[in-house]
Amino acid sequence: MSGDEMNPAAVAQAVEDVQGDDRWMSQHTRFVQECKDAEPEVLFIGDSMVQLMQQYEIWRELFSPLHALNFGIGGDTTCNVLWRLQNGELDNIRPKVTVVWVGTNNHEHSAEQVAGGILAIAQLLTSRLPKTKVVVLGLLARGDGPNPLREKNAAVNGFLRSWLPRLGQAQFLDVGVGFVHSDGTISTRDMFDFLHLTAAGYRAIAKPLSDLLLQILDETPEEKRASLV
């Protein structure tokens, strides 16, 4: 994208309280408070794909031991995540790694715009947290069979593969391998509603992610020396 100001997916925006219970803002407020009380080494931020991960044993098994915070809110778009990050969810914390997983809810935006919104999130993170490494997870396929949203998510991933390496501190991780079968279908054993992951689905994506996080967290000697210069 040329100029984030021209990209609607890179404009920070809070979620309007159309239901009247202020749940979204209440969750954001809780996350801001957690920043005052916790010292995470890993921060997860995104939509329901991040939020629901915390409900499964795999979170307690692989990610809790890494002193991880989960700042996922169901339904969030890149715009909502940008707003949250700009309004307190990065205050007082210095995670070594930030995992970003968002974009599949950006229905009003093109694939290039969505990727630009994700890139804007990564740029904000590297600006506010210059020592954090950013891991952007690829958007998963969705729907029982081939459909336009699958094609769009795949296109988003293509842009991210090309753009993220330019940031230096950010990298793309494709965790969607194996979910789409040879006949183009997705099993409900992996995605119970053809979008959200089951326990088995989370276990499939957690292994490559955990391996990468452990590798980054273990990259200490040279980076420690470089940070002292």
Side-chain angles (χ1 to χ4, degrees), residues 195-226:
L195 172 62
H196 297 99
L197 295 169
T198 62
Y202 274 115
R203 190 160 290 278
I205 69 103
K207 182 62 166 65
L209 175 56
S210 174
D211 288 348
L212 178 58
L213 292 179
L214 290 173
Q215 175 187 325
I216 293 173
L217 292 171
D218 202 37
E219 286 178 357
T220 48
E222 294 79 6
E223 293 195 349
K224 280 185 177 176
R225 283 196 291 272

mmCIF file of all heavy atoms in Angstrom, residues 195-226:
data_model
loop_
_atom_site.group_PDB
_atom_site.id
_atom_site.type_symbol
_atom_site.label_atom_id
_atom_site.label_comp_id
_atom_site.label_asym_id
_atom_site.label_seq_id
_atom_site.Cartn_x
_atom_site.Cartn_y
_atom_site.Cartn_z
ATOM 1 N N LEU A 195 -14.654 -21.949 10.409
ATOM 2 C CA LEU A 195 -13.895 -20.723 10.613
ATOM 3 C C LEU A 195 -13.067 -20.812 11.892
ATOM 4 O O LEU A 195 -11.853 -20.644 11.874
ATOM 5 C CB LEU A 195 -14.829 -19.500 10.692
ATOM 6 C CG LEU A 195 -14.167 -18.171 11.092
ATOM 7 C CD1 LEU A 195 -13.119 -17.751 10.059
ATOM 8 C CD2 LEU A 195 -15.229 -17.077 11.261
ATOM 9 N N HIS A 196 -13.737 -21.092 13.007
ATOM 10 C CA HIS A 196 -13.050 -21.155 14.302
ATOM 11 C C HIS A 196 -12.502 -22.552 14.564
ATOM 12 O O HIS A 196 -13.133 -23.550 14.222
ATOM 13 C CB HIS A 196 -14.006 -20.746 15.428
ATOM 14 C CG HIS A 196 -14.469 -19.328 15.309
ATOM 15 N ND1 HIS A 196 -15.692 -18.994 14.762
ATOM 16 C CD2 HIS A 196 -13.855 -18.165 15.641
ATOM 17 C CE1 HIS A 196 -15.817 -17.682 14.778
ATOM 18 N NE2 HIS A 196 -14.723 -17.150 15.299
ATOM 19 N N LEU A 197 -11.350 -22.586 15.204
ATOM 20 C CA LEU A 197 -10.639 -23.847 15.392
ATOM 21 C C LEU A 197 -11.156 -24.644 16.581
ATOM 22 O O LEU A 197 -11.565 -24.092 17.597
ATOM 23 C CB LEU A 197 -9.142 -23.575 15.593
ATOM 24 C CG LEU A 197 -8.401 -22.959 14.405
ATOM 25 C CD1 LEU A 197 -7.014 -22.505 14.823
ATOM 26 C CD2 LEU A 197 -8.317 -23.940 13.249
ATOM 27 N N THR A 198 -11.107 -25.949 16.429
ATOM 28 C CA THR A 198 -11.372 -26.873 17.528
ATOM 29 C C THR A 198 -10.079 -27.062 18.325
ATOM 30 O O THR A 198 -9.027 -26.506 17.987
ATOM 31 C CB THR A 198 -11.813 -28.233 16.990
ATOM 32 O OG1 THR A 198 -10.722 -28.782 16.203
ATOM 33 C CG2 THR A 198 -13.061 -28.119 16.110
ATOM 34 N N ALA A 199 -10.153 -27.894 19.366
ATOM 35 C CA ALA A 199 -8.940 -28.215 20.132
ATOM 36 C C ALA A 199 -7.884 -28.829 19.214
ATOM 37 O O ALA A 199 -6.697 -28.497 19.312
ATOM 38 C CB ALA A 199 -9.282 -29.164 21.275
ATOM 39 N N ALA A 200 -8.320 -29.712 18.300
ATOM 40 C CA ALA A 200 -7.378 -30.333 17.367
ATOM 41 C C ALA A 200 -6.799 -29.301 16.405
ATOM 42 O O ALA A 200 -5.610 -29.342 16.059
ATOM 43 C CB ALA A 200 -8.080 -31.446 16.584
ATOM 44 N N GLY A 201 -7.624 -28.359 15.964
ATOM 45 C CA GLY A 201 -7.151 -27.311 15.071
ATOM 46 C C GLY A 201 -6.114 -26.426 15.730
ATOM 47 O O GLY A 201 -5.075 -26.106 15.137
ATOM 48 N N TYR A 202 -6.377 -26.059 16.980
ATOM 49 C CA TYR A 202 -5.395 -25.237 17.702
ATOM 50 C C TYR A 202 -4.106 -25.999 17.950
ATOM 51 O O TYR A 202 -3.011 -25.430 17.909
ATOM 52 C CB TYR A 202 -5.981 -24.728 19.018
ATOM 53 C CG TYR A 202 -6.750 -23.445 18.865
ATOM 54 C CD1 TYR A 202 -8.124 -23.395 19.096
ATOM 55 C CD2 TYR A 202 -6.110 -22.272 18.467
ATOM 56 C CE1 TYR A 202 -8.837 -22.217 18.948
ATOM 57 C CE2 TYR A 202 -6.818 -21.088 18.312
ATOM 58 C CZ TYR A 202 -8.172 -21.062 18.554
ATOM 59 O OH TYR A 202 -8.872 -19.893 18.392
ATOM 60 N N ARG A 203 -4.227 -27.275 18.211
ATOM 61 C CA ARG A 203 -3.011 -28.064 18.433
ATOM 62 C C ARG A 203 -2.160 -28.090 17.157
ATOM 63 O O ARG A 203 -0.928 -28.050 17.218
ATOM 64 C CB ARG A 203 -3.375 -29.484 18.875
ATOM 65 C CG ARG A 203 -2.193 -30.308 19.353
ATOM 66 C CD ARG A 203 -2.634 -31.481 20.205
ATOM 67 N NE ARG A 203 -3.155 -31.082 21.499
ATOM 68 C CZ ARG A 203 -2.390 -30.804 22.562
ATOM 69 N NH1 ARG A 203 -1.078 -30.864 22.466
ATOM 70 N NH2 ARG A 203 -2.949 -30.471 23.700
ATOM 71 N N ALA A 204 -2.810 -28.132 15.992
ATOM 72 C CA ALA A 204 -2.079 -28.155 14.720
ATOM 73 C C ALA A 204 -1.323 -26.854 14.486
ATOM 74 O O ALA A 204 -0.185 -26.859 14.005
ATOM 75 C CB ALA A 204 -3.050 -28.430 13.572
ATOM 76 N N ILE A 205 -1.945 -25.719 14.822
ATOM 77 C CA ILE A 205 -1.264 -24.443 14.569
ATOM 78 C C ILE A 205 -0.275 -24.107 15.685
ATOM 79 O O ILE A 205 0.666 -23.340 15.480
ATOM 80 C CB ILE A 205 -2.272 -23.287 14.374
ATOM 81 C CG1 ILE A 205 -2.999 -22.954 15.681
ATOM 82 C CG2 ILE A 205 -3.246 -23.596 13.251
ATOM 83 C CD1 ILE A 205 -2.485 -21.713 16.359
ATOM 84 N N ALA A 206 -0.490 -24.674 16.866
ATOM 85 C CA ALA A 206 0.327 -24.301 18.022
ATOM 86 C C ALA A 206 1.757 -24.819 17.923
ATOM 87 O O ALA A 206 2.691 -24.163 18.400
ATOM 88 C CB ALA A 206 -0.313 -24.804 19.310
ATOM 89 N N LYS A 207 1.952 -25.976 17.315
ATOM 90 C CA LYS A 207 3.287 -26.569 17.277
ATOM 91 C C LYS A 207 4.276 -25.689 16.498
ATOM 92 O O LYS A 207 5.339 -25.329 17.029
ATOM 93 C CB LYS A 207 3.211 -27.976 16.672
ATOM 94 C CG LYS A 207 4.554 -28.707 16.624
ATOM 95 C CD LYS A 207 5.122 -28.931 18.030
ATOM 96 C CE LYS A 207 6.264 -29.923 18.052
ATOM 97 N NZ LYS A 207 7.458 -29.463 17.318
ATOM 98 N N PRO A 208 3.994 -25.323 15.243
ATOM 99 C CA PRO A 208 4.960 -24.464 14.540
ATOM 100 C C PRO A 208 5.116 -23.097 15.206
ATOM 101 O O PRO A 208 6.212 -22.526 15.207
ATOM 102 C CB PRO A 208 4.376 -24.332 13.125
ATOM 103 C CG PRO A 208 2.939 -24.718 13.249
ATOM 104 C CD PRO A 208 2.874 -25.708 14.355
ATOM 105 N N LEU A 209 4.025 -22.572 15.789
ATOM 106 C CA LEU A 209 4.121 -21.280 16.455
ATOM 107 C C LEU A 209 4.972 -21.376 17.715
ATOM 108 O O LEU A 209 5.844 -20.528 17.951
ATOM 109 C CB LEU A 209 2.720 -20.769 16.802
ATOM 110 C CG LEU A 209 2.662 -19.470 17.612
ATOM 111 C CD1 LEU A 209 3.406 -18.343 16.904
ATOM 112 C CD2 LEU A 209 1.206 -19.079 17.875
ATOM 113 N N SER A 210 4.743 -22.397 18.508
ATOM 114 C CA SER A 210 5.531 -22.593 19.727
ATOM 115 C C SER A 210 7.004 -22.767 19.402
ATOM 116 O O SER A 210 7.877 -22.189 20.061
ATOM 117 C CB SER A 210 5.010 -23.804 20.501
ATOM 118 O OG SER A 210 5.831 -24.091 21.604
ATOM 119 N N ASP A 211 7.296 -23.558 18.370
ATOM 120 C CA ASP A 211 8.692 -23.776 17.965
ATOM 121 C C ASP A 211 9.364 -22.452 17.602
ATOM 122 O O ASP A 211 10.509 -22.201 17.978
ATOM 123 C CB ASP A 211 8.764 -24.740 16.782
ATOM 124 C CG ASP A 211 8.444 -26.176 17.176
ATOM 125 O OD1 ASP A 211 8.394 -26.461 18.391
ATOM 126 O OD2 ASP A 211 8.225 -27.005 16.271
ATOM 127 N N LEU A 212 8.643 -21.603 16.859
ATOM 128 C CA LEU A 212 9.208 -20.323 16.443
ATOM 129 C C LEU A 212 9.411 -19.401 17.648
ATOM 130 O O LEU A 212 10.448 -18.742 17.774
ATOM 131 C CB LEU A 212 8.301 -19.648 15.416
ATOM 132 C CG LEU A 212 8.751 -18.261 14.933
ATOM 133 C CD1 LEU A 212 10.140 -18.310 14.317
ATOM 134 C CD2 LEU A 212 7.741 -17.681 13.952
ATOM 135 N N LEU A 213 8.438 -19.357 18.551
ATOM 136 C CA LEU A 213 8.560 -18.500 19.723
ATOM 137 C C LEU A 213 9.743 -18.916 20.585
ATOM 138 O O LEU A 213 10.517 -18.069 21.051
ATOM 139 C CB LEU A 213 7.272 -18.541 20.545
ATOM 140 C CG LEU A 213 6.035 -17.913 19.903
ATOM 141 C CD1 LEU A 213 4.830 -18.046 20.828
ATOM 142 C CD2 LEU A 213 6.268 -16.449 19.549
ATOM 143 N N LEU A 214 9.898 -20.209 20.783
ATOM 144 C CA LEU A 214 11.022 -20.693 21.581
ATOM 145 C C LEU A 214 12.351 -20.350 20.915
ATOM 146 O O LEU A 214 13.325 -19.996 21.579
ATOM 147 C CB LEU A 214 10.907 -22.200 21.797
ATOM 148 C CG LEU A 214 9.778 -22.653 22.728
ATOM 149 C CD1 LEU A 214 9.656 -24.170 22.719
ATOM 150 C CD2 LEU A 214 10.009 -22.145 24.146
ATOM 151 N N GLN A 215 12.379 -20.432 19.593
ATOM 152 C CA GLN A 215 13.592 -20.092 18.849
ATOM 153 C C GLN A 215 13.923 -18.613 19.026
ATOM 154 O O GLN A 215 15.076 -18.236 19.270
ATOM 155 C CB GLN A 215 13.384 -20.403 17.372
ATOM 156 C CG GLN A 215 14.532 -19.978 16.470
ATOM 157 C CD GLN A 215 14.192 -20.153 15.002
ATOM 158 O OE1 GLN A 215 13.491 -21.086 14.621
ATOM 159 N NE2 GLN A 215 14.656 -19.241 14.169
ATOM 160 N N ILE A 216 12.913 -17.739 18.918
ATOM 161 C CA ILE A 216 13.141 -16.298 19.061
ATOM 162 C C ILE A 216 13.570 -15.961 20.487
ATOM 163 O O ILE A 216 14.517 -15.200 20.700
ATOM 164 C CB ILE A 216 11.866 -15.515 18.695
ATOM 165 C CG1 ILE A 216 11.550 -15.664 17.209
ATOM 166 C CG2 ILE A 216 12.033 -14.039 19.048
ATOM 167 C CD1 ILE A 216 10.221 -15.066 16.791
ATOM 168 N N LEU A 217 12.879 -16.545 21.469
ATOM 169 C CA LEU A 217 13.195 -16.247 22.870
ATOM 170 C C LEU A 217 14.580 -16.739 23.259
ATOM 171 O O LEU A 217 15.187 -16.232 24.204
ATOM 172 C CB LEU A 217 12.141 -16.874 23.785
ATOM 173 C CG LEU A 217 10.741 -16.254 23.699
ATOM 174 C CD1 LEU A 217 9.742 -17.097 24.479
ATOM 175 C CD2 LEU A 217 10.738 -14.818 24.196
ATOM 176 N N ASP A 218 15.071 -17.698 22.492
ATOM 177 C CA ASP A 218 16.384 -18.274 22.794
ATOM 178 C C ASP A 218 17.513 -17.554 22.062
ATOM 179 O O ASP A 218 18.678 -17.845 22.260
ATOM 180 C CB ASP A 218 16.393 -19.764 22.427
ATOM 181 C CG ASP A 218 17.486 -20.516 23.186
ATOM 182 O OD1 ASP A 218 17.719 -20.181 24.365
ATOM 183 O OD2 ASP A 218 18.096 -21.417 22.596
ATOM 184 N N GLU A 219 17.150 -16.612 21.177
ATOM 185 C CA GLU A 219 18.152 -15.857 20.417
ATOM 186 C C GLU A 219 18.714 -14.763 21.314
ATOM 187 O O GLU A 219 18.468 -13.590 21.111
ATOM 188 C CB GLU A 219 17.515 -15.225 19.175
ATOM 189 C CG GLU A 219 17.216 -16.203 18.065
ATOM 190 C CD GLU A 219 16.539 -15.515 16.887
ATOM 191 O OE1 GLU A 219 16.275 -14.306 16.996
ATOM 192 O OE2 GLU A 219 16.277 -16.170 15.884
ATOM 193 N N THR A 220 19.484 -15.176 22.302
ATOM 194 C CA THR A 220 19.878 -14.183 23.305
ATOM 195 C C THR A 220 21.290 -13.626 23.160
ATOM 196 O O THR A 220 21.444 -12.414 23.171
ATOM 197 C CB THR A 220 19.705 -14.767 24.715
ATOM 198 O OG1 THR A 220 20.310 -16.066 24.753
ATOM 199 C CG2 THR A 220 18.240 -14.902 25.050
ATOM 200 N N PRO A 221 22.350 -14.414 23.007
ATOM 201 C CA PRO A 221 23.696 -13.835 23.166
ATOM 202 C C PRO A 221 24.002 -12.676 22.228
ATOM 203 O O PRO A 221 24.341 -11.579 22.687
ATOM 204 C CB PRO A 221 24.624 -15.031 22.897
ATOM 205 C CG PRO A 221 23.792 -16.234 23.172
ATOM 206 C CD PRO A 221 22.406 -15.861 22.758
ATOM 207 N N GLU A 222 23.853 -12.886 20.914
ATOM 208 C CA GLU A 222 24.203 -11.838 19.970
ATOM 209 C C GLU A 222 23.285 -10.635 20.134
ATOM 210 O O GLU A 222 23.728 -9.482 20.072
ATOM 211 C CB GLU A 222 24.124 -12.358 18.525
ATOM 212 C CG GLU A 222 25.141 -13.429 18.185
ATOM 213 C CD GLU A 222 24.763 -14.808 18.691
ATOM 214 O OE1 GLU A 222 23.632 -14.943 19.218
ATOM 215 O OE2 GLU A 222 25.594 -15.726 18.586
ATOM 216 N N GLU A 223 21.991 -10.901 20.330
ATOM 217 C CA GLU A 223 21.046 -9.798 20.428
ATOM 218 C C GLU A 223 21.276 -9.002 21.709
ATOM 219 O O GLU A 223 21.114 -7.783 21.727
ATOM 220 C CB GLU A 223 19.617 -10.328 20.382
ATOM 221 C CG GLU A 223 19.291 -10.920 19.022
ATOM 222 C CD GLU A 223 17.802 -11.108 18.820
ATOM 223 O OE1 GLU A 223 17.061 -10.972 19.804
ATOM 224 O OE2 GLU A 223 17.396 -11.376 17.686
ATOM 225 N N LYS A 224 21.631 -9.681 22.771
ATOM 226 C CA LYS A 224 21.920 -8.952 24.000
ATOM 227 C C LYS A 224 23.141 -8.041 23.802
ATOM 228 O O LYS A 224 23.155 -6.897 24.244
ATOM 229 C CB LYS A 224 22.182 -9.936 25.147
ATOM 230 C CG LYS A 224 20.907 -10.500 25.762
ATOM 231 C CD LYS A 224 21.221 -11.367 26.959
ATOM 232 C CE LYS A 224 19.917 -11.864 27.592
ATOM 233 N NZ LYS A 224 20.174 -12.790 28.709
ATOM 234 N N ARG A 225 24.147 -8.556 23.116
ATOM 235 C CA ARG A 225 25.331 -7.733 22.867
ATOM 236 C C ARG A 225 24.970 -6.532 21.974
ATOM 237 O O ARG A 225 25.409 -5.408 22.221
ATOM 238 C CB ARG A 225 26.424 -8.563 22.197
ATOM 239 C CG ARG A 225 27.165 -9.489 23.174
ATOM 240 C CD ARG A 225 28.458 -9.975 22.571
ATOM 241 N NE ARG A 225 28.215 -10.897 21.476
ATOM 242 C CZ ARG A 225 28.067 -12.210 21.615
ATOM 243 N NH1 ARG A 225 28.129 -12.758 22.821
ATOM 244 N NH2 ARG A 225 27.878 -12.992 20.563
ATOM 245 N N ALA A 226 24.157 -6.803 20.954
ATOM 246 C CA ALA A 226 23.775 -5.727 20.045
ATOM 247 C C ALA A 226 22.962 -4.648 20.767
ATOM 248 O O ALA A 226 23.109 -3.452 20.489
ATOM 249 C CB ALA A 226 22.947 -6.287 18.877
#
